[in-house]
Amino acid sequence: MEAAKRWTLLIAVLALAAFAVWRGAAWVADLPPERSPFKELDIERPIGWATAMQFNRVRSDPQLCTATLAASDIGTEPIADSREGADDQCGFANAVALTQSTYAYSGAVRVSCPLAAALYVWEREIVAPAAAQWLESPVARIEMIGAYACRNIYGRAEGRLSEHANANAIDIAGFRLENGRVVSVLRGWEGEAGDAAFLRQVRGGGCEVFQGVLSPDYNRAHADHLHLDMGPYDICS
Ligand SMILES: [Zn+2]
């Protein structure tokens, strides 16, 4: 090949490569947040493959978590940081009281910021469609057992501190429907087919947003509730 032709070919290849990089960068920049690991969590968006990674950043960055809640339609009020317990092992840190979410709750939801963010996504993206698929009526209210409690796991005197001790966990007993019926974890898990399928779907879908999800499948201590937490242990059972 003559020198002139070689140069023309080289320039054409370089131009093509530059175009590909430019288009690729534009494509990445245009990705919706739930499919871009470079963007931060947007809890108004559906769950995508980048959502879990983004939740990890929110769990380890209190300011990012606060900004995430502020950028959404969730209603929260900050809870002042506090410590209690024999060794100050319990308490609230960067926690919020939920004032407006997709669903009402049967009690006061006072939880860590990351747990509030995860509940908001779970209600809309997992619970609402599961109810539409399996139940005769939409969910009106989530029946909770509790969230914050200064105790060890299973309430034992010894052992590991529960995620509840830092308001990083919530126990859900069931779901009150708009028609008044209650789908409880205790009766529904092995109950009527639609209720059982609904409960398994909200459990399994919960694993996409929460760190720890424990159901009646885990052990008898969870026969009557779903435990949802944002602690360090990745468990889905
Ligand atoms: Zn629990």
Side-chain angles (χ1 to χ4, degrees):
M1 210 187 292
E2 322 162 12
K5 275 190 185 159
R6 276 210 298 272
W7 276 109
T8 309
L9 189 65
L10 182 64
I11 287 165
V13 167
L14 286 175
L16 203 63
F19 179 76
V21 167
W22 173 63
R23 285 310 305 157
W27 180 77
V28 168
D30 285 345
L31 280 176
E34 69 274 16
R35 284 193 274 131
S36 171
F38 304 110
K39 290 180 181 167
E40 298 303 351
L41 179 67
D42 180 348
I43 58 174
E44 296 295 339
R45 298 285 308 167
I47 297 168
W49 69 267
T51 304
M53 201 183 310
Q54 293 163 341
F55 261 114
N56 280 339
R57 289 206 290 269
V58 160
R59 282 195 307 122
S60 61
D61 185 339
Q63 279 161 0
L64 177 61
C65 189
T66 301
T68 301
L69 295 189
S72 81
D73 289 336
I74 190 176
T76 60
E77 279 169 9
I79 295 174
D81 289 0
S82 63
R83 302 313 297 169
E84 66 165 327
D87 306 311
D88 278 352
Q89 76 277 31
C90 304
F92 293 93
N94 197 42
V96 296
L98 206 56
T99 56
Q100 178 65 51
S101 199
T102 302
Y103 297 123
Y105 284 76
S106 61
V109 180
R110 291 158 59 81
V111 293
S112 69
C113 175
L115 183 55
L119 284 169
Y120 186 63
V121 174
W122 177 69
E123 291 167 16
R124 185 192 65 239
E125 297 297 323
I126 305 292
V127 178
Q133 185 176 350
W134 297 108
L135 306 176
E136 75 283 8
S137 170
V139 170
R141 190 174 84 173
I142 294 179
E143 303 295 312
M144 61 183 278
I145 295 174
Y148 174 75
C150 186
R151 62 171 174 82
N152 292 326
I153 57 170
Y154 309 129
R156 288 176 187 146
E158 303 286 321
R160 183 157 62 77
L161 197 64
S162 165
E163 287 301 317
H164 288 283
N166 285 295
N168 212 15
I170 188 168
D171 291 336
I172 307 291
F175 302 81
R176 181 175 296 274
L177 309 185
E178 284 183 5
N179 68 5
R181 193 167 75 85
V182 174
V183 178
S184 79
V185 175
L186 181 62
R187 280 175 283 114
W189 197 260
E190 300 297 342
E192 190 262 317
D195 291 359
F198 166 77
L199 290 169
R200 278 164 181 77
Q201 196 160 314
V202 300
R203 183 270 309 266
C207 299
E208 295 180 43
V209 289
F210 301 105
Q211 276 288 110
V213 177
L214 303 176
S215 74
D217 281 352
Y218 182 62
N219 63 17
R220 288 182 58 193
H222 294 82
D224 64 351
H225 68 277
L226 300 176
H227 164 101
L228 312 172
D229 77 59
M230 291 301 267
Y233 303 99
D234 203 347
I235 181 165
C236 174
S237 177

